[in-house]
Structure formats: C-alpha cells, structure tokens
Amino acid sequence: MFSKKYSYLFIVLIVSSIAAAAQDSVRVSAADLQNLLQRIERLEQAAQLPADSPKMTNAEQPEATDIEQLSPADKAKEVGNGRHRLTIGGYGEITAKRCFYSNKYLRYVTPELYKNDGYGEFDLPHVVIYLGYDFGKGWSMGSEIEFEHGGPEVAMEIEEKEGGSEVEQEIERGGEVTLEQFWLQKRFNRYAIIRAGMQVVPVGALNAYHMPTEFFSVYRSEGEFTILPSTWHEVALTFMGSTSFGLKYQAMFLPGLDSDRFSRKNWVKTGAGSPYEFKLANVYAGALRLDYEGVRGLRLSLSGYCGNSFRNSLSNNINGDQYKGVRGTVSIGSFDFKYAGHGVLLRGNVTYGHLGDSQLITKYNSTSQVANKTRVASDAIATGMEIGYDFFSLNETLRQKKQRFYLFGRYEYYDSMMLYDGKSTPINAWCGRQRAACGLNYFPIDEVAVKAEFSYGILNKKGGTVIFNDEPAIAVGIVYAGMFKL
C-alpha cells in the first residue's frame, strides 16, 4: 500500500503529464523531483504533529535555524510546516476553603476571645496568562500577566500596620494585576543565554516551581510563601545555560530589597517590587541557582541571594550618626529536591535567611511614615517535605491513559521571627508554627489537577503554655498549567 508521500507524488506526476501533453514542452529534472519530495515530506510531518506540543520552560527556548535565509514566502511555509514560534499558556487556581479558626486581626493578642471562630472563602488566588515569541537567530521574548484574587476591584482592608484600628476602602494595586514577567533573551547556544527584563528570581523551591501542578497543596506552601516574595520577580540581568551532564545554572544581577517594608509576619516578603511607578535601585544584589538533573527522576537544587536593603527608599532622614554604616544585608540560602519514580513523588526544601542590622532597621521603621511599624527578625526559616503515591500507576489501563491519582502527606515548619537581633525571644511566638496536611491530587490529564486536603497548623508555645489557638482547615481546588507552541 502506497504511503501518503508517494500518493502525493503520483498525483503530481499525473498533473505534470497532463500539463506536458497540453503544452508539449515540460521537463522535470532530478533536482526538481528531489525538491518536490522534500516539500511533500514537510507537509506529511506537519499533518502528523500532535494537537498539544511539549511544554517549554523559561530556559528552553527554541534555537534559530536556516529559516532566516529563506524568502518571506518560503519562510511562511516553513513556519506553517512545524516551525513553532509562538508560545501561549499560563496557569490558574480555583479554590474554596473552610477555616476552623478566626481571621480577626487581634486573634494573636487575645486568642481566648476567638477560640470558637471560623470562616470560609472562595477564591481565584492566581490566574496567569503567558505569551512568548521566538524571533529567530536566538532572539525570543516572554511575558506573563497575573491576576491575583480575581483582579482589581474595590476592597475593604484592615490596616495591620496601623494597629488594626483603620479600615480602608481602596482600589487595589501591587499584586492584584501584575506584569510578572517581560523579558528579551538572546540564546547563543545551550551553555550561554542572556536575558534582560522583568523575570522570576529563582530563590527557593516555590519561586522556581510555583505552577499549581508542581506542588500537592491546594495553596502554595506556607513556609516560603510567608517569608519570601512569591512569585518573586524583578527587573534583572541574567546569564544562564545548561550542560550535557544535567546541570542547569542561573546567575542574576538585580536591585536590592527595600527594608522599609520588612515585617515580623512576613520577614522580607514585601521588600520586593516597589510602591512607586519605578523600582528603586540605590543598592544592588545577586542571585544564583543550580539544578542538577543528571540522575533519572532526581533533581537537586541550590539557590541563594545576597544584597543590601537599607537606604533603598526615597526617605531622606537616614543619614544620621545612629544609622551610619547600616546596610541591612539580606542573605538567603536554600536547598530543595524532587524525586519521581515507581509511583512515588517526593519533594522537600530548607530555606534559611539572615538580615544584618535588624535591630536598627526595626528602630528606623518605627519612626518612618512609609514603613511597617513592627519588629523585623534577624533570622527566618522555612522547611517542608511532601510525599505522594500515584495509585493509578498500579493499573496498566490508567497508566496508558496517563491519568494519575496521588494520596499525599505534607509537613512544614517555618518562623518569620526565628531570631531577633541574633537571639531567640518569646515575643511574637505565633510567627513560628508547624503545619501538617494530607489529601489527594487527581490528574485526568497532565495539565489539569483536582485537589483536596485537610491541614492542621500548630503555633509555637510561649513559656511552656499553649496560648494561641491551633488552625485546622479543609480546602479543595481545581487547577491548570500548560505551555503550548503554535
């Protein structure tokens, strides 16, 4: 039975013969036939392309080919015949939660008054639209627009930095609709890629792997989400690449964090970005990430950040003698890993951070008009581990359908006030807690997951007596994540 290629060739030869008979003068050379066969082959390959093309990570941009040497007409044909230039994708989360504890501002001040409280919520924590384009010759761009909690709307907020005494109605900015990424990139080869623009700072497991199909919990892991910016993005210059033995690397130069906006509850989390129409860069920082994937099913990662944070603001009253030499150096180190094999999926992370001059920064922030008027820790920590087993891996039919059903457990410990000026303190003990969770993840297809979990938060003790209420909750969600080349 003839293949499609030879069927096409047979039809073309018949048409050519008819034309030759009509004109009585048509010659077909061997080169012409060879060129015709190549074009038919490309048509056949394009017809066999799958509907969903493979996912593309930020560092895996398509390389330029000799398409740039073609005429505009032939270039258009090549693009149509399997040359993928446009990437469209994103991710999103639809969630519902019932908390069996209070969300009142004073719940940590007078916990006995809120012992039997509870609340529920429906939410769209993150909805992200990604658009990327490969210009050719190694040049490409990427962009992400993120809608948090449904987008910009009028909201009522309790101002915690003002003692919870003021409730404001305002149009939300800073995180409700965010240009999370916009970068241009030049790829020389797999070893050397340069990227400039707004991009993710890949420090910690959560920032590097923050799509909702990359963790079991309904919501992002609380530890790193509490003490680090998430998703941490800055205008930066990055050099990155990968080796043939499984090592990927990223080195980044970026503006420093802003100590004005550090706090006891979230450590340096809100020090990224900017409350202004531009990003202040009075101080600078560097970030580095290494991922080793040379062993099948295993990833080992190290990441870190270092940069000053004091004086990275518009304030003009920080040059007095008492603040002379204050830098507020932020140092963060993180290790995370992933193992997948034999139906088991295991992930874990340890992230530790140190802030220099924390006591002086706390003193300065207490008098600043724009700062969070709370203590700032000198040391913070976030650790976590989760393990899940895919029970569908035991069934051959479900394996072939590429469906997955995980039962998982997760444990984490984090503390945004681990040490204050290098010393342990019972002040703000509620900032440290343990959290245990169990639940399920069902993947009907690779890009979609249905999640459910029960979690239990246990807050730190003070003086040997539990004075804070525990925080149990149930949550469900449906999420998606995918990148598709067109």
Side-chain angles (χ1 to χ4, degrees), residues 203 303-305 331-335 350-354:
V203 175
S303 57
Y305 169 94
S331 304
I332 301 170
S334 182
F335 168 74
V350 179
T351 300
Y352 193 94
H354 176 76

Side-chain angles (χ1 to χ4, degrees), residues 347-392:
R347 305 182 184 98
N349 72 281
V350 179
T351 300
Y352 193 94
H354 176 76
L355 170 65
D357 307 307
S358 64
Q359 199 167 35
L360 287 170
I361 288 174
T362 296
K363 182 179 179 180
Y364 170 76
N365 286 356
S366 67
T367 61
S368 172
Q369 293 182 345
V370 297
N372 288 312
K373 296 174 172 54
T374 66
R375 293 174 181 265
V376 182
S378 60
D379 296 78
I381 190 171
T383 65
M385 184 174 292
E386 61 183 19
I387 184 170
Y389 184 76
D390 175 18
F391 281 88
F392 281 8

Side-chain angles (χ1 to χ4, degrees), residues 195-210:
R195 176 181 296 175
M198 182 78 77
Q199 51 196 296
V200 173
V201 182
V203 175
L206 181 57
N207 283 309
Y209 301 96
H210 56 272

Side-chain angles (χ1 to χ4, degrees), residues 149-163:
H149 309 292
E153 296 177 357
V154 175
M156 299 296 293
E157 281 201 343
I158 297 175
E159 293 297 322
E160 293 190 9
K161 69 180 181 180
E162 296 170 15

Side-chain angles (χ1 to χ4, degrees), residues 420-442:
Y420 177 62
D421 201 32
K423 300 175 183 178
S424 61
T425 173
I427 298 173
N428 307 131
W430 55 269
C431 292
R433 63 191 67 194
Q434 302 173 71
R435 181 179 182 272
C438 62
L440 59 88
N441 278 197
Y442 168 55

Side-chain angles (χ1 to χ4, degrees), residues 58 90-91 93 125-131 142-148 174-183 195 197-201 206-212 220 225 229-236 252 273 483:
N58 286 344
Y91 60 89
E93 304 159 325
H126 307 92
V127 177
V128 173
I129 299 171
Y130 177 89
L131 182 66
S143 63
E144 279 188 4
I145 296 178
E146 179 175 30
F147 299 84
E148 293 185 359
E176 294 299 324
V177 176
T178 305
L179 181 62
E180 192 164 275
Q181 293 197 67
F182 176 75
W183 44 259
R195 176 181 296 175
M198 182 78 77
Q199 51 196 296
V200 173
V201 182
L206 181 57
N207 283 309
Y209 301 96
H210 56 272
M211 289 196 291
R220 294 179 177 180
F225 187 75
S230 176
T231 304
W232 191 351
H233 55 278
E234 298 278 11
V235 177
M252 182 176 289
M483 296 289 180

Side-chain angles (χ1 to χ4, degrees), residues 65 79 227 253 345 365 442-443 453 470:
T65 64
V79 172
I227 69 171
F253 175 73
L345 185 52
N365 286 356
Y442 168 55
F443 287 80
E453 72 171 330
D470 291 341

